[in-house]
Amino acid sequence: MRPDDLAAVCVLADRVHPGLREDPAIFAERLALYPAGCFVLERRQIIAGYAIAHPIRYPDPPSLNMRIGSLPPDCDALYIHDVALSPEARGEGQAGAVIGHLLQLAAGFPRACLVSVYGTAAFWQRFGFSDAAAVLPSGALSAYGEDARFMQRLTPDCAAT
């Protein structure tokens, strides 16, 4: 992902997440803080998907539509902020490919984590994620909708803390 991609990423985000809107500044901040975790899928010179991930201190996922300011110095998890594909790009294996890449990034951390929305927990389970809701205070994910689930995947060969 490049700064030039952000306008198209925001349009796509609003399209696929109409009830979970985030300001363009959130996307710009994540790209500036951790460009290694930001990707786009281009099809015919159009942004058809994107992924955003960055390190966090577990278990403290950022609130929806909130700037984080900086990455904590003691990060111990890769947080998958979002993986989104346009409806036209779905069903082609693109999500699995980008998630594989994100899990490679997560290899340097004891775990990867995310907030599953829209009933996608079973999708994430296929990649080794499991429910980790018990580590969060009640109501911590209320902005993400009632079906939101905090999930984690422990990294093989990395001691989880």
Side-chain angles (χ1 to χ4, degrees):
M1 185 182 295
R2 301 177 317 265
D4 293 3
D5 297 326
L6 289 172
V9 165
C10 290
V11 168
L12 180 58
D14 288 347
R15 182 176 173 209
V16 299
H17 300 306
L20 300 174
R21 187 172 189 297
E22 292 192 289
D23 295 330
I26 302 304
F27 296 95
E29 179 191 58
R30 300 312 194 268
L31 176 59
L33 289 174
Y34 198 67
C38 299
F39 307 94
V40 294
L41 169 65
E42 288 188 65
R43 296 177 75 200
R44 296 178 210 77
Q45 300 176 333
I46 296 173
I47 303 289
Y50 67 87
I52 298 174
H54 57 83
I56 64 165
R57 179 76 185 139
Y58 185 85
D60 192 18
S63 297
L64 184 67
N65 200 33
M66 291 289 264
R67 289 185 180 197
I68 58 176
S70 64
L71 299 178
D74 55 349
C75 294
D76 60 356
L78 183 74
Y79 177 68
I80 299 175
H81 179 93
D82 198 2
V83 174
L85 293 173
S86 69
E88 302 81 22
R90 295 179 187 159
E92 300 173 355
Q94 301 291 341
V98 75
I99 292 166
H101 189 74
L102 291 171
L103 294 178
Q104 287 178 347
L105 282 176
F109 299 94
R111 65 183 51 84
C113 58
L114 56 90
V115 176
S116 167
V117 295
Y118 308 130
T120 58
F123 169 82
W124 290 106
Q125 287 171 345
R126 293 193 325 240
F127 296 96
F129 285 85
S130 60
D131 189 281
V135 302
L136 295 180
S138 178
L141 302 180
S142 60
Y144 289 91
E146 65 183 56
D147 70 339
R149 301 289 176 264
F150 187 61
M151 302 182 79
Q152 73 170 350
R153 178 186 187 270
L154 299 178
T155 303
D157 301 324
C158 195
T161 56

